[in-house]
Amino acid sequence: MSGPVHAFLAGHGRDGAGRLLADVLTFDDARIEGVHDFIQWCFPLREASRAVPGAPVLTPTEAEAIRIDPAAIDGLRGATARMARFYEATDGWLRPYDHNHLRITRILTALRDLIGQDAAQEFFELVMKRVQAAGSPVNPDSLTYWKRALR
């Protein structure tokens, strides 16, 4: 393992709160909505989180280790599937401004950087299907960030 995020995604390491990825994947929707310190571990970025000080920052070495480790990719795909179920099952984020809009940007960016463009595009399409079905309530700035995250 090359670092703590890699170990977490591969299922062997714990996040900053001592949870395994398997623990996070069993969160119910209320816990997904209410807990704010897991998303940075499930979808790591090269930039520090402004929302959760002390959250991990993905290094280039650790990113490469994740990309080539089937267990870590499976973990990332599991986290993606859990978040997809959350966004399909809940409506609270379908409003002009919501913290989940930032989460979606993070998810898209991490998927693009760690799995590839197709995975990010698939998640984007799932989210946009819900947004459009709800009458497109999400603010234009969030939509712009999501589209930028695909590039």
Side-chain angles (χ1 to χ4, degrees):
M1 298 290 151
S2 74
V5 176
H6 178 202
F8 175 77
L9 288 173
H12 306 295
R14 296 183 180 273
D15 69 7
R19 300 172 293 227
L20 293 168
L21 177 61
D23 300 328
V24 172
L25 297 182
T26 64
F27 283 5
D28 63 17
D29 288 341
R31 196 139 182 230
I32 292 282
E33 178 62 33
V35 175
H36 298 280
D37 64 351
F38 73 91
I39 202 84
Q40 297 81 8
W41 286 86
C42 292
F43 302 97
L45 300 180
R46 293 172 291 180
E47 303 87 31
S49 171
R50 293 186 304 233
V52 180
V57 176
L58 191 63
T59 66
T61 301
E62 195 167 15
E64 185 56 30
I66 291 167
R67 282 187 208 102
I68 63 172
D69 181 356
I73 294 299
D74 284 349
L76 185 54
R77 288 189 188 281
T80 302
R82 179 62 191 98
M83 293 308 293
R85 288 192 310 276
F86 173 78
Y87 291 124
E88 288 174 326
T90 64
D91 295 331
W93 63 278
L94 292 166
R95 55 185 168 201
Y97 296 93
D98 189 81
H99 73 100
N100 279 290
H101 301 178
L102 295 172
R103 285 179 167 183
I104 291 167
T105 303
R106 171 179 281 277
I107 292 166
L108 292 169
T109 303
L111 290 175
R112 180 200 69 211
D113 290 350
L114 296 172
I115 297 180
Q117 184 69 37
D118 290 346
Q121 185 67 40
E122 184 178 326
F123 193 83
F124 174 77
E125 289 171 8
L126 174 142
V127 167
M128 288 307 298
K129 182 178 176 185
R130 289 283 288 130
V131 167
Q132 290 162 354
S136 299
V138 174
N139 75 80
D141 288 341
S142 289
L143 298 175
T144 297
Y145 282 117
W146 297 350
K147 289 173 187 167
R148 277 192 206 143
L150 295 175
R151 292 183 257 158

